[in-house]
Amino acid sequence: MLLSRIRSLATALFAALAVQAALIPAALAQDAPAVAEPALPEVAPTTANDKEVIDNPYGLQALWAQGDFVSKGTLIILIVMSMGSWYILITKLYESLKVAGEARAARKGFFKHASLGDAAKTLKEGSAFRFIAESGIQATDHHEGALTEHIDRNSWVTMSVQRSVDDVQSRLQDGLAFLATVGSTAPFVGLFGTVWGIYHALTAIGIAGQASIDKVAGPVGEALIMTAIGLAVAVPAVLGYNWLVRRNKVTMEAVRSFSADLHGVLMGARTTR
């Protein structure tokens, strides 16, 4: 009897605990304040026309703006070398083409005239071939005087024509020395800018106390730009120099051929009028 009563009390106690356990979470849910969900940031709509503009801190503008007087002076020297090289290349090309045209005109009609005086007048004023012809004619007509009486006429005319040919060759070679100088020194000028940029990089590392990329990238980029500019100046100068030397050799062959024919005509002519 006592045992059955104890079982009834235990059953009632467990039932009460189960009901209480079910009611506690509901009560907590009613008493807790509502928590607002975090708002997501609004994203502005992007269009196809919007472009991101990023300034390059290591370009040519930054090189000029941040460089000191040494780097700026080196850059100016390279620019002057480049401008001078291209000016000489263009002008010497024009002059070489002009002399080639004058050579064709001289071969075509100079020796078909009755006299050398009339033939020389048909050549273009200021041309190299007219200069040679007039020099030879003048030497032929004025072979007199106490100082030249011991020189035969052939040697006198030959020396005069040869001097005029040498003058033409010297005029064709004007500016080639500048091209050779630029071709040989521009890489070293750019290398100097490279060394100066590396020096700036090491100085920035020493001041900052750490080798971070923002302290090294600028000066190293400056150094690489100087090297590239030096090579860009030197390569056209070297190629132009070699090409003009070869073209001048061909042009001078035409000039010497004309002078040899002129010398033969001068030696056989009784008069140049």
Side-chain angles (χ1 to χ4, degrees):
M1 190 72 178
L2 180 62
L3 182 61
S4 59
R5 187 174 294 179
I6 292 172
R7 289 179 178 176
S8 300
L9 289 174
T11 303
L13 180 61
F14 284 129
L17 291 174
V19 171
Q20 187 177 3
L23 294 176
I24 289 175
L28 292 175
Q30 292 178 358
D31 296 337
V35 179
E37 295 182 356
L40 297 177
E42 297 182 358
V43 179
T46 59
T47 60
N49 294 329
D50 294 339
K51 295 182 180 179
E52 184 179 2
V53 179
I54 301 176
D55 294 333
N56 184 11
Y58 309 122
L60 290 175
Q61 294 181 354
L63 171 63
W64 181 261
Q66 301 176 6
D68 56 359
F69 71 96
V70 176
S71 60
K72 290 181 179 180
T74 304
L75 185 59
I76 290 174
I77 291 174
L78 290 174
I79 292 174
V80 171
M81 285 183 172
S82 179
M83 294 176 61
S85 299
W86 283 108
Y87 173 78
I88 291 174
L89 285 173
I90 294 173
T91 55
K92 301 308 290 187
L93 174 60
Y94 171 76
E95 185 176 357
S96 180
L97 294 175
K98 184 178 69 173
V99 174
E102 294 171 356
R104 289 191 297 268
R107 287 195 306 267
K108 184 178 180 180
F110 179 81
F111 298 102
K112 294 182 180 179
H113 290 80
S115 64
L116 288 173
D118 295 337
K121 293 178 181 179
T122 60
L123 298 177
K124 186 178 180 181
E125 184 71 26
S127 66
F129 294 90
R130 182 164 182 173
F131 171 70
I132 296 173
E134 290 179 348
S135 298
I137 292 172
Q138 185 178 6
T140 303
D141 294 340
H142 299 283
H143 179 239
E144 71 272 350
L147 296 177
T148 59
E149 63 181 4
H150 299 292
I151 303 175
D152 60 285
R153 181 170 173 267
N154 185 10
S155 299
W156 177 256
V157 174
T158 301
M159 289 188 297
S160 178
V161 173
Q162 184 61 41
R163 282 194 298 267
S164 62
V165 171
D166 293 340
D167 291 341
V168 172
Q169 184 177 7
S170 178
R171 188 174 67 182
L172 288 176
Q173 292 179 349
D174 288 342
L176 296 184
F178 181 82
L179 291 179
T181 303
V182 171
S184 60
T185 59
F188 296 100
V189 176
L191 182 61
F192 173 77
T194 300
V195 174
W196 193 258
I198 295 175
Y199 165 74
H200 277 183
L202 297 177
T203 304
I205 294 173
I207 294 175
Q210 57 181 355
S212 58
I213 189 63
D214 58 339
K215 301 297 183 182
V216 180
V220 172
E222 173 184 329
L224 296 178
I225 290 175
M226 286 295 186
T227 303
I229 294 175
L231 293 176
V233 172
V235 171
V238 173
L239 294 178
Y241 173 81
N242 294 330
W243 180 72
L244 286 176
V245 167
R246 174 58 184 169
R247 189 171 182 85
N248 287 344
K249 288 182 179 179
V250 177
T251 303
M252 287 308 301
E253 289 178 0
V255 172
R256 291 190 180 94
S257 177
F258 173 80
S259 64
D261 295 339
L262 176 65
H263 179 267
V265 173
L266 289 172
M267 292 296 96
R270 295 182 179 179
T271 179
T272 59
R273 303 298 179 185

